[in-house]
Amino acid sequence: DKAEEVAPTVDRRSLVPDMPPRPLVVRQGYNCVILAKVGGVPFRIVLDTGAARSLIRTSFAEKLRKNKRTKGEVYGPRPMSRPVVLEGVIKGRPSATITEATQVGLALSDVTAGTQGSLEVCFGEMSDCSDPMILGFPDLARYGFQVEEDDDGHVWVHFTKLGVTVLAETPGQQMDSAC
């Protein structure tokens, strides 16, 4: 399976006492990335359970606001009531300050039932955001995010409150998108 390939574990019963540890064969890791549509246009979005906020790259938000197919699904930029300082897991290590947000309507297509789910997300705008769109933990929790890997290495993402299941990209397999 894909998770096992990233950091393979050892069967401890097969270890020989007092022998040095065997080298770990390191393979490419991966993020949880799915396709979502904005105004019918597919885009890749990173699902990040370690992100305290949903973020959008400012230049990407500007493109969505200007594009005739997507601008109807975008509201903003909206000034925030106060600047928000983004910190990593270690408190006191700020990485950026955001002062504006853009709301985006996202559509998800269930790959098993063919149904559609929609969600409205308010993304903090960040000029140097690592990815065009990152759906953070609070929004993932709000929509009932669950994830699992099947025996064939496919990563299934469930949004239980939307009744939608989608496939995540895995290494060597990238879905078609405009981003």
Side-chain angles (χ1 to χ4, degrees):
D1 62 21
K2 295 292 182 191
E4 180 72 15
E5 289 176 13
V6 173
T9 56
V10 173
D11 180 357
R12 291 176 189 244
R13 296 171 294 193
S14 69
L15 298 177
V16 178
D18 301 322
M19 290 295 292
R22 290 183 265 171
L24 173 65
V25 177
V26 179
R27 293 192 171 74
Q28 178 183 358
Y30 57 98
N31 293 318
C32 190
V33 179
I34 63 168
L35 283 183
K37 291 183 179 180
V38 179
V41 181
F43 294 100
R44 297 170 75 228
I45 184 166
V46 175
L47 309 182
D48 188 346
T49 60
R53 295 188 181 275
S54 293
L55 299 170
I56 190 167
R57 189 179 300 144
T58 303
S59 61
F60 184 69
E62 290 167 352
K63 289 177 184 175
L64 290 177
R65 287 191 285 270
K66 292 177 184 174
N67 183 288
K68 66 180 179 180
R69 292 180 64 192
T70 59
K71 66 182 180 182
E73 294 296 326
V74 182
Y75 176 63
R78 297 165 56 194
M80 298 174 83
S81 64
R82 64 174 176 78
V84 174
V85 177
L86 301 179
E87 292 182 323
V89 177
I90 301 172
K91 200 145 185 76
R93 294 251 174 114
S95 62
T97 301
I98 54 176
T99 58
E100 294 183 317
T102 291
Q103 184 172 322
V104 180
L106 302 169
L108 301 174
S109 298
D110 186 294
V111 296
T112 58
T115 56
Q116 299 284 318
S118 62
L119 52 158
E120 289 284 331
V121 179
C122 196
F123 292 91
E125 287 197 20
M126 186 175 172
S127 62
D128 59 349
C129 189
S130 61
D131 294 281
M133 284 190 288
I134 299 173
L135 196 60
F137 182 73
D139 288 310
L140 292 170
R142 178 168 30 140
Y143 292 107
F145 171 79
Q146 295 178 358
V147 63
E148 66 178 307
E149 180 181 19
D150 67 20
D151 293 337
D152 296 321
H154 299 104
V155 176
W156 297 91
V157 178
H158 310 282
F159 291 92
T160 59
K161 293 185 179 178
L162 300 175
V164 173
T165 297
V166 297
L167 272 172
E169 290 181 1
T170 53
Q173 175 240 356
Q174 181 174 325
M175 297 172 266
D176 294 330
S177 71
C179 175

